[in-house]
Amino acid sequence: MTDLVFRCLAEGESSTLFSTLPDAGLVGRALLDPPHNVLRTIAEGGEYRPEWVWLALRDGEVVARAAYWGGPEDTKPVALDWFDFTDAEAGTALLRASGLRPQYELILPPGWRSDPLARAAGGERISAAVEAGYEPLVERFRYTWTPECGIPDTPGRLVFRPEPDDDVVLDVLRRIHSSTLDAHALRAIAQDGPDGAARQELEFLNWCPSPREWWRMAYTPAGELVGFQAPAHNPSSPVVGLIGVVPEQRGHGYAYDLLVECTRQLAAEGAERIHAATDQGNVPMAKAFARAGYPVTQHRYCLA
């Protein structure tokens, strides 16, 4: 059998070769709406840098592909967006050959395990990534709010105020992370401690191109701190950037209040689509999304 050739796209090279790999469209980026289901390089008006778009070729035919994404100012990719193959071993070898190791979130249809074809396609990609050194982290619900979902009424239990001091925000994030169900936060705490995890969260919010003035602290009418919510806009769409309740205020359903305020703020800014996500094991947050009218539109299988 002919040896595999691993390479990234050359500067100025078209992404046409990347798109020649057969894709049944069961899992992955094919499930997204245009233009996010078609890879285009920056030179083609897209978001992908050619040096982060990798191919495995046999006799000139693409048998595996991987495309990594990062923001305009990022010096290394922050996500493995595309990972497809017709040869699983070639897929594993391609991930190793690229030398890049950002998080991989595999996009899956809701209830994917009940569909034999989607379950098989998803399982193949997960297994190939694990063989390359990735570790399963968590499964998440992915939500998409649109105006047709309706704008939820304000419960009126809390008072929301902007907070201009990053140190104050950082302290509240530490308190939120001191007792959290979020797997990404727990992993960050295990690696970098509570302070490091809180700083990562703050760095993400500052990384988003949306205005910092959107962030809000939440208080009871008596002035007791309840939590923090940050509407945001990532490079492609409005998102629920962060919803967090401090430990001493949990058990009152305040996550819903924060989510409603976040939704109303983004809708007032003209959002036609708001993306959000939570771990499948975070039952209180999942209930808040359901109550606020956010439908589950995808599952995400996260590997670190």
Side-chain angles (χ1 to χ4, degrees):
M1 183 179 292
T2 307
D3 290 339
L4 288 169
V5 174
F6 303 107
R7 71 172 180 89
C8 59
L9 293 182
E11 189 68 36
E13 183 179 5
S14 167
S15 60
T16 301
L17 184 61
F18 185 90
S19 65
T20 61
L21 183 81
D23 183 0
L26 298 169
V27 301
R29 302 287 295 188
L31 297 179
L32 300 183
D33 294 328
H36 306 294
N37 58 357
V38 177
L39 183 136
R40 294 185 298 161
T41 63
I42 291 174
E44 296 168 324
E47 299 180 287
Y48 293 89
R49 306 182 198 182
E51 67 270 24
W52 292 348
V53 178
W54 280 77
L55 303 170
L57 301 106
R58 181 179 288 119
D59 295 329
E61 178 182 346
V62 178
V63 294
R65 62 184 184 180
Y68 303 84
W69 180 88
E73 305 301 322
D74 291 323
T75 57
K76 59 183 179 180
V78 298
L80 169 58
D81 276 359
W82 301 75
F83 178 47
D84 309 284
F85 48 78
T86 55
D87 179 332
E89 290 185 3
T92 294
L94 178 63
L95 294 185
R96 291 173 176 159
S98 74
L100 303 170
R101 286 293 184 273
Q103 178 174 288
Y104 174 33
E105 278 198 7
L106 174 60
I107 302 169
L108 299 157
W112 64 283
R113 285 188 174 86
S114 63
D115 180 340
L117 295 178
R119 185 175 68 246
E124 287 173 352
R125 284 160 179 77
I126 293 166
S127 296
V130 168
E131 189 68 22
Y134 277 85
E135 295 181 355
L137 177 61
V138 69
E139 289 188 59
R140 289 168 69 78
F141 293 120
R142 175 82 166 183
Y143 304 89
T144 303
W145 178 94
T146 61
E148 289 74 24
C149 300
I151 298 176
D153 293 332
T154 302
R157 298 192 296 172
L158 302 177
V159 177
F160 293 89
R161 303 173 190 153
E163 176 50 66
D165 190 336
D166 271 8
D167 287 337
V168 174
V169 174
L170 188 61
D171 182 62
V172 173
L173 292 175
R174 289 191 196 98
R175 293 168 64 182
I176 291 169
H177 282 344
S178 68
S179 176
T180 180
L181 297 174
D182 185 89
H184 287 84
L186 291 171
R187 182 172 183 266
I189 291 168
Q191 292 180 334
D192 302 311
D195 186 70
R199 290 186 184 279
Q200 286 183 36
E201 203 78 70
L202 184 61
E203 287 171 3
F204 164 73
L205 293 175
N206 279 317
W207 173 85
C208 291
S210 43
R212 189 197 181 288
E213 291 74 22
W214 288 359
W215 307 356
R216 295 288 186 272
M217 291 290 183
Y219 300 88
T220 66
E224 297 176 335
L225 176 70
V226 169
F228 175 70
Q229 65 91 7
H233 197 300
N234 66 24
S236 61
S237 67
V239 296
V240 176
L242 188 142
I243 299 289
V245 177
V246 294
E248 63 270 24
Q249 296 286 1
R250 291 177 188 166
H252 303 291
Y254 284 136
Y256 174 75
D257 302 54
L258 271 64
L259 177 61
V260 169
E261 180 69 11
C262 185
T263 304
R264 294 179 69 88
Q265 278 187 250
L266 288 170
E269 294 292 336
E272 293 294 322
R273 189 175 293 252
I274 302 171
H275 293 299
T278 195
D279 293 0
Q280 290 188 17
N282 191 341
V283 176
M285 199 66 234
K287 287 182 177 179
F289 278 115
R291 183 181 172 192
Y294 278 71
V296 175
T297 51
Q298 298 170 13
H299 283 202
R300 297 284 180 102
Y301 195 107
C302 303
L303 298 101

